[in-house]
Structures are given as C-alpha cells and as structure tokens.
C-alpha cells in the first residue's frame, strides 16, 4: 500500500472508533462527567473546604488537574481495551488482519481513537470543573503535550491488555486492580510532600505520579516531581508500550494462530 | 500462465503438535471455479487461514498471482477476498458501514468506497437493509453481507469457506447465480463446502483433502468419470409386481411404486428401460440415490478408491 492508501486506512480506523464511542455515549462519555462532578462536589467542595490549602492552592484548585488527568487516563485506556478486545471477541479484527494495512497503522488507528475519547472526556470534565472553580492555565504548551503523551501511553497500555485478554473479565481486571490504585496513589488527591520519605520514594515508581504532576504543572505551575524527569519518564513508558505493542502485532501473538 | 494460487509443500504444525497440513501442493488457474473439499478437521480452514494470513505456516511456499506471500504479503493480500465460515463482523455496526470500512482498510478513498459498497450491496440484495445493524439481519443476509464485504476491493481471487451454511435453498440458488456471474467476469473462486451438490453444480476443478494431505486433485468431469457404479431410484406409474428382475443388473423393489437399480461402469442404462417396458412397467421419474460426488467423496476419504 502506498502512503495515501495507508492514510485512508488509518482514517477509516479512527472514524470507526469515534463512531463507536459516540454511538454508545451513555456508556463512554456520560459516566466520566457524572463521576467527576461527584468528585468535585465531595472532595472539592464538601471535604476540600475543611482541608484548606494544598501545595499553595485551594484544595479544589489542587484536585482539578488530577481529576482531569484521571478522566484522560481511564478513558483512553478503556476505549482501546474494550474496542480492540471486542473486535477480537467478535472476530471482526480479522477484517484488518486479512487486509494489506500495516501493523503500525492498525496500532496508531486504535491509539488515536482512544486519545480522541480521552480528549473529548477531558473537555467535558474541564467544562464541569468550571462550575466549581476558576481554571487558569500556567502553560498551554505543557498542558497539550502532557495530555497527548499521557493519553497515547494509556491507549497503548489498553491495547496490550486487549491483546492478552481472553474474556471480558480480563479487560476489567487491570483497570480495577492496577490502574485505579495507581491513579489514587498517583497524587491526584494529595501532594507527595504529605508522604513519609519511604512512600514518597516508592511513589516514584508509579507512572501516574509523573503524568499527574506534569499536568498539574501545566495548569497550576507547581509539581511534586522534577518536570524534565516527568517528561523523560513519560517518553520512556510510552516508547516501551509502543515497542511491545508492535512486537505483539508483528508476532501475531494471540491474534493469529 | 501465472496461477491464481500456487501452494508448494505447505505444512502446518500447531502448538499442540497437531499436524494439520502435511506438505500439500495445489495449483489454481486464473478464472477457475475450484472446490476444496474434505471432512471436518481435514485441513481446509487451516489452508485458507494461511492464504489470508490468519494462520502462520510451518513450512512451504504460497504465491498469489505470482506474488510470494513471504516476500510481499500486503501485495498478495490485495488479490484476495475472503468469506469466512463464521460471521466475523461487528454485529452492532450497520451493513453499509461494515462494507465501507473494509474498503477503507484496502486504501479505497471514501467516495469510491461508498460507490463500491452500494454496487455490491445492491447486487446481493442488501441495499434496502444497509442502515440496519448487522445483528438484525437474517443468517442468509449476514452471509451475503460478508460476500459484499469481501468483494468491495474487487479481488481477483475470492475464497469462500462454507458460504451456504445456514442459507435457505432459494437464497443459495441466487448466491450460486451471483458467484457464477462474477466467475464469468474473470474472478477466480475457491470454495469449500459440505454441500457436494454445490461443488458439482459450480466448480470445474476439485481437490479433496483428508488428514492434511491432498488425496485427489483433478477436474470435476474426470473425477465423476472415475465412478465405477451409480445407484438410481425409479418411480413407477403403476403398482409393481412382487418380483422384478433384469438380466445383468442388480435391482431391488423398495415399495409398490419404487425400484432401485445399480448400474456398473460401462453398462447401458437403456437396457434397463427396454426391459422394464417389456415387463409393462412405466417410469414417471428417475434420480440418483445419493449425490454422485458424495459417493466418490466418501470413497476417497475412507481410502476405498
């Protein structure tokens, strides 16, 4: 296939993915808006008003970037894991596998589909957050870069999960038992300064710490971790996830017999 | 002439050490209508899976219109349209979207993709159902949707794995007419089927695979010529006498109006009618007891021939 044909195939996958999550918007877009609104009400307004300042900001201002990032992470991940596993389950992944479309186009098509859902939900959550606090952006550049890199990273992670999954249970195990704990322990609701030194060091192994703090820096201008280090870590994790995803596709593991 | 499909010494050993293919070789000429027959587990689906890249081969060589799949599989894939045995589309998508998306995976621009989707959905009688989610279609419609999807990039080689499964007789006949038409227009067709009548009605060449080996590979006419006997059922107008016998033929009275006659290779069937006429027995209709190809198939896979 020439480049133009590969581009057509790439756009076809993205269009299909966007159509899919818009068709079932009550399952894909609405829950995040409702959940995040509840977080804003409970943690931001009710409990937050008694906590006082965190990292030099009101608690509501402090949690908003983390909650937006939480929505991006969960949505970009769950879009790819459910869509790709669904296509494996129904057999429709064969439509792609028998076609001449290249593996990198297949992967990036699904990833961009997941990223687009992450961004759409992030916009919805950001709009909801404006009802609770004034949002000022410290650096649009950092915000955009971190959002794109993070959603790409977790869309790739969702793809890997989907390739290994054998049942619908398998696509909920990782989000429930790995992703959610990492998000909650990733500094969404608290500053790393509150942790004892040992646990603060352990937290540095959590990739969510870097994405949440890098995004918080973009919004508020403060971060618990060194910003260049955060970028390097996100790039490393993304590169590893991309390389492994391509290895799975090229080897045909769990996709071809 | 460059063959549409050439398979040389193709082997497949699965991870559980099951040897599905034991070095098969096959050649399908361009424009042919080719049947690949075999009992369940013989290796038909494995062969098709390897041709369309869903199964990795263990050894051997495959070329599609001269393109070696090991050298340029994407180029080889462009020649192939595949209709699998199982429904393998997203049941929640509309038929039109399924076909248009498939066109997109082959790099067809959106305008051309829609044009082709309309062409094949109309030809297969699905245009009125284009906006219905695929899960709402009947079994026969789903089967035809997969055919439309497989043709949208206008492949030169169409492979159909059990296309008539779950399709009613009327629908099957109209599908046969459609397949004959596209074959006449130049598309090479390879068909696997359990309906041997289907293979006999459609295909010019046939290969029979059993236990991972090709046990027969010839023209349909040549294969049927190998039949050493045929059994006919004769329906009689009048009530038959208690005993019916014709010299040189094995004949059996089934009931008051039905006879079964076994005709050996080289025997003249006219002799049967002459003898029955002399005995004042008149025949209203005649048919094979079983499909001729079916008898041959059973013989071959049981190793009797």
């Amino acid at each position: 296939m020439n480049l133009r044909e590969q581009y057509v195939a790439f756009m076809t996958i993205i269009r299909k993915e966007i159509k899919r999550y818009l068709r079932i918007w009550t399952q894909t877009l609405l829950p995040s808006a409702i959940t995040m609104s509840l977080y804003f009400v409970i943690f931001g307004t009710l409990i937050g008003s008694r906590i006082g300042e965190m990292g030099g900001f009101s608690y509501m201002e402090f949690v908003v970037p983390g909650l937006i990032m939480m929505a991006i992470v969960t949505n970009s991940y769950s879009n790819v894991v459910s869509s790709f596993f669904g296509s494996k389950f129904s057999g429709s992944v064969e439509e792609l596998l028998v076609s001449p479309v290249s593996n990198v186009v297949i992967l990036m098509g699904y990833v961009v589909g997941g990223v687009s859902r992450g961004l759409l939900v992030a916009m919805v959550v950001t709009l909801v957050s404006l009802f609770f606090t004034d949002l000022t952006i410290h650096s649009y550049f950092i915000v955009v870069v971190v959002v794109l890199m993070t959603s790409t990273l977790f869309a790739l992670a969702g793809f890997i999960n989907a390739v290994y999954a054998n049942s619908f249970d398998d696509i909920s195990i990782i989000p429930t038992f790995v992703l959610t704990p990492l998000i909650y322990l990733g500094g969404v609701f608290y500053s790393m300064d509150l942790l004892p030194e040992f646990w603060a060091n352990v937290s540095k192994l959590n990739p969510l710490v870097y994405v949440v703090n890098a995004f918080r820096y973009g919004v508020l201008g403060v971060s618990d971790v060194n910003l260049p280090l955060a970028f390097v870590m996100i790039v490393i994790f993304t590169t590893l996830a991309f390389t492994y995803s391509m290895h799975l596709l090229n080897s045909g593991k769990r996709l071809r017999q | 002439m460059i063959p549409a499909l050439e398979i040389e010494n193709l082997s497949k050993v699965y991870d559980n050490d099951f040897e599905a293919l034991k070095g098969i070789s096959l050649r399908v000429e361009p424009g042919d209508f080719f049947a690949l027959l075999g009992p369940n587990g013989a290796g038909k689906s494995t062969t098709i899976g390897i041709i369309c890249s869903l199964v990795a081969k263990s050894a051997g060589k495959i070329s599609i219109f001269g393109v070696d799949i090991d050298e340029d599989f994407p180029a080889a894939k462009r020649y192939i349209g595949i209709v699998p045995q199982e429904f393998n589309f997203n049941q929640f998508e509309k038929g039109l979207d399924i076909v248009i998306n498939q066109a997109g995976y082959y790099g067809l621009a959106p305008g051309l993709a829609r044009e082709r989707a309309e062409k094949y959905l109309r030809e297969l009688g699905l245009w009125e159902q284009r906006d219905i989610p695929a899960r709402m279609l009947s079994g026969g419609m789903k089967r035809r949707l997969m055919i439309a999807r497989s043709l949208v990039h206008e492949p030169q080689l169409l492979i159909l794995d059990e296309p008539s499964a779950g399709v009613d007789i009327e629908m099957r006949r109209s599908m046969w007419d459609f397949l004959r038409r596209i074959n006449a227009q130049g598309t090479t067709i390879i068909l696997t089927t359990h309906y041997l009548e289907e293979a006999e009605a459609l295909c010019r060449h046939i290969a029979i695979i059993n236990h991972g080996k090709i046990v027969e590979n010839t023209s349909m006419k040549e294969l049927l010529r190998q039949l050493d006997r045929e059994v006919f059922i004769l329906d009689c107008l009048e009530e038959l006498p208690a005993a019916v016998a014709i010299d040189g033929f094995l004949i059996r009275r089934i009931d008051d109006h039905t006879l079964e006659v076994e005709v050996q290779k080289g025997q003249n069937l006219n002799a049967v009618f002459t003898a029955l006429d002399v005995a004042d027995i008149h025949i209203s209709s005649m048919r094979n007891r079983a499909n001729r190809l079916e008898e041959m198939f059973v013989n071959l896979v049981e190793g009797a021939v």
Side-chain angles (χ1 to χ4, degrees), chain B residues 3 30 37 54 71 75 131 156 160 186 201 236 264 267 270:
Chain B
L37 305 183
L54 295 175
E71 287 172 12
D131 288 327
Q156 293 182 44
L160 302 112
C236 306
Q264 302 293 326
Q267 281 188 313
N270 286 356

Side-chain angles (χ1 to χ4, degrees), chain B residues 257-268:
Chain B
H257 287 86
T258 317
L259 285 175
E260 189 181 272
V261 183
E262 189 174 312
V263 181
Q264 302 293 326
K265 193 174 181 180
Q267 281 188 313
N268 187 343

Side-chain angles (χ1 to χ4, degrees), chain B:
Chain B
M1 192 186 288
I2 297 172
L5 170 69
E6 187 164 32
I7 296 175
E8 292 172 51
N9 298 317
L10 185 66
S11 301
K12 172 64 185 177
V13 182
Y14 283 101
D15 290 343
N16 60 4
D17 291 333
F18 174 66
E19 198 175 1
L21 295 176
K22 299 167 181 170
I24 66 164
S25 295
L26 207 59
R27 184 183 164 102
V28 179
E29 299 300 333
D32 201 356
F33 209 135
F34 192 96
L36 183 61
L37 305 183
N40 289 333
K44 304 185 298 290
S45 294
T46 298
T47 307
I48 290 174
I50 293 171
I51 295 168
C52 65
S53 88
L54 295 175
V55 178
K57 63 186 167 69
S58 302
K61 194 178 164 190
I62 296 179
S63 298
I64 318 284
F65 285 97
V67 180
D68 188 330
I69 64 166
D70 291 328
E71 287 172 12
D72 193 352
F73 214 155
K77 284 176 174 179
R78 299 187 73 113
Y79 288 113
I80 308 171
I82 176 86
V83 182
Q85 200 170 333
E86 306 289 338
F87 300 130
N88 69 341
F89 45 74
N90 184 335
Q91 304 265 345
F92 296 97
E93 282 181 8
K94 297 170 186 170
L96 181 63
D97 289 343
I98 288 170
V99 180
I100 287 179
N101 284 343
Q102 190 68 17
Y105 301 152
Y106 283 82
L108 270 66
L112 181 59
R114 197 187 154 82
E115 196 180 294
R116 292 263 187 92
E118 180 174 348
K119 176 184 168 186
Y120 288 105
L121 287 174
R122 280 190 191 282
E123 284 194 31
L124 285 150
L126 288 171
W127 183 244
E128 298 304 316
Q129 289 78 25
R130 65 189 180 279
D131 288 327
I132 297 174
R135 69 179 188 281
M136 312 283 281
L137 300 175
S138 69
M141 287 176 175
K142 286 176 181 170
R143 192 71 57 188
R144 283 182 287 147
L145 176 61
M146 293 205 296
I147 296 177
R149 183 186 63 178
S150 71
L151 289 170
V152 74
H153 62 289
E154 301 197 331
Q156 293 182 44
L157 172 62
L158 179 65
I159 301 173
L160 302 112
D161 197 359
E162 303 285 349
S164 297
V167 177
D168 66 38
I169 294 168
E170 192 185 347
M171 200 80 85
R172 193 185 306 164
R173 299 279 168 178
S174 73
M175 194 158 72
W176 288 4
D177 288 342
F178 177 77
L179 293 176
R180 282 194 190 102
R181 203 161 60 241
I182 60 167
N183 178 244
Q185 288 163 2
T187 306
T188 309
I189 298 180
I190 298 176
L191 177 87
T192 79
T193 180
H194 278 119
Y195 299 105
L196 300 179
E197 176 203 0
E198 183 170 65
E200 190 177 344
L202 294 173
C203 301
R204 290 188 286 279
H205 286 91
I206 184 168
I208 296 178
I209 185 168
N210 193 28
H211 299 304
K213 287 181 179 170
I214 301 286
V215 294
E216 187 59 89
N217 185 4
T218 183
S219 71
M220 189 66 76
K221 281 181 185 168
E222 181 53 38
L223 186 69
L224 292 173
R225 249 200 300 273
Q226 290 176 26
L227 274 172
D228 55 5
R229 68 178 187 109
E230 283 191 74
V231 179
F232 295 98
I233 305 289
L234 308 179
D235 298 311
C236 306
L237 284 172
E238 300 88 7
E239 190 170 323
L240 289 163
V244 182
I246 303 170
D247 278 349
F249 290 92
L250 197 61
I251 195 156
R252 202 158 66 89
R253 189 180 186 278
I254 305 289
D255 58 38
D256 288 348
H257 287 86
T258 317
L259 285 175
E260 189 181 272
V261 183
E262 189 174 312
V263 181
Q264 302 293 326
K265 193 174 181 180
Q267 281 188 313
N268 187 343
L269 199 55
N270 286 356
V272 175
F273 289 106
T274 306
L276 289 174
D277 201 35
V278 169
D280 211 22
I281 296 171
H282 302 106
I283 307 303
S284 62
S285 65
M286 182 180 86
R287 63 188 182 277
N288 278 90
R289 186 179 65 181
N291 176 269
R292 297 179 301 163
L293 186 59
E294 194 170 307
E295 289 194 10
M296 175 62 79
F297 176 80
V298 170
N299 286 340
L300 283 168
V301 298
E302 287 178 354
V305 172

Side-chain angles (χ1 to χ4, degrees), chain A residues 27 51 61 69-70 73 76 85 104 117 121 134 148 161 165 175 187 189 195 199 204 209 218 223 243 246-247:
Chain A
Q27 297 169 47
I51 291 174
E61 286 174 314
M69 190 47 78
M70 189 170 160
V73 166
S76 51
F85 177 72
V104 71
R117 176 169 149 193
V121 173
D134 292 328
L148 290 178
N161 187 175
F189 297 104
L195 295 176
W199 289 111
K204 286 176 183 167
V209 166
S223 167
T243 308
M246 282 307 298
H247 163 71

Side-chain angles (χ1 to χ4, degrees), chain A residues 234-253:
Chain A
I234 296 170
V235 169
I236 288 173
F237 284 123
T238 307
T239 307
L240 288 175
F242 177 81
T243 308
Y244 194 63
S245 299
M246 282 307 298
H247 163 71
L248 290 174
L249 271 171
N250 290 334
S251 66
K253 199 172 182 176

